Amino acid sequence: MFYGGLLLGVTLLFFAGWLQWTEHRGWPHDTYDGEEDVEYRQRRKKSRLRVNVLIGICGLLILVATFADVGIVFVAAWSIVSLILMVIVILAGLDAFRTHRHHQDKIRRMRKRALEE
């Protein structure tokens, strides 16, 4: 159990760092080059930073639970991890909704420009 917790905690910390690094550099096939995309990208980066920090906190709490004996610290750490993971799922759903809404608005603006020309 010790090595499993160690592996899971380190993996989550690595994954959170990789996600943030990739978000900062840009994802492959991202095509956000218009002026209307600037505000969306700023909100997306801020939102995903929060999620990546929460993933990193989960990794740290798992490491704390791994090094703590079974007891109050162990139970508290895993309870907080489960709550944070539920929050991450909710935030991911909100991010998906925001992205969907942005793409709908972008397609609407592109159609409007095409019809005006």
Side-chain angles (χ1 to χ4, degrees):
M1 184 147 164
F2 176 79
Y3 294 111
L6 195 63
L7 179 65
L8 183 59
V10 170
T11 301
L12 282 176
L13 286 172
F14 172 77
F15 187 64
W18 176 78
L19 283 174
Q20 188 58 34
W21 180 71
T22 306
E23 182 67 32
H24 184 69
R25 280 187 56 235
W27 291 89
H29 311 295
D30 257 354
T31 56
Y32 300 110
D33 49 359
E35 291 178 16
E36 61 268 0
D37 295 327
V38 172
E39 181 183 343
Y40 165 73
R41 289 195 70 187
Q42 289 173 345
R43 287 185 300 161
R44 184 181 82 172
K45 278 187 177 185
K46 190 183 295 186
S47 171
R48 291 187 179 174
L49 172 65
R50 287 185 196 121
V51 170
N52 295 338
V53 166
L54 288 174
I55 292 171
I57 289 171
C58 283
L60 287 174
L61 286 171
I62 290 170
L63 289 175
V64 166
T66 299
F67 286 107
D69 285 336
V70 176
I72 189 86
V73 174
F74 180 85
V75 172
W78 276 107
S79 297
I80 294 169
V81 165
S82 65
L83 291 173
I84 289 175
L85 290 176
M86 284 189 277
V87 169
I88 288 172
V89 169
I90 292 168
L91 290 175
L94 292 173
D95 184 51
F97 179 70
R98 179 177 48 241
T99 300
H100 176 69
R101 202 174 64 215
H102 170 73
H103 284 294
Q104 283 182 327
D105 290 342
K106 189 173 182 176
I107 290 171
R108 192 176 303 120
R109 285 190 301 266
M110 288 169 47
R111 284 183 186 150
K112 187 177 179 181
R113 272 187 253 142
L115 289 174
E116 289 174 355
E117 292 175 0

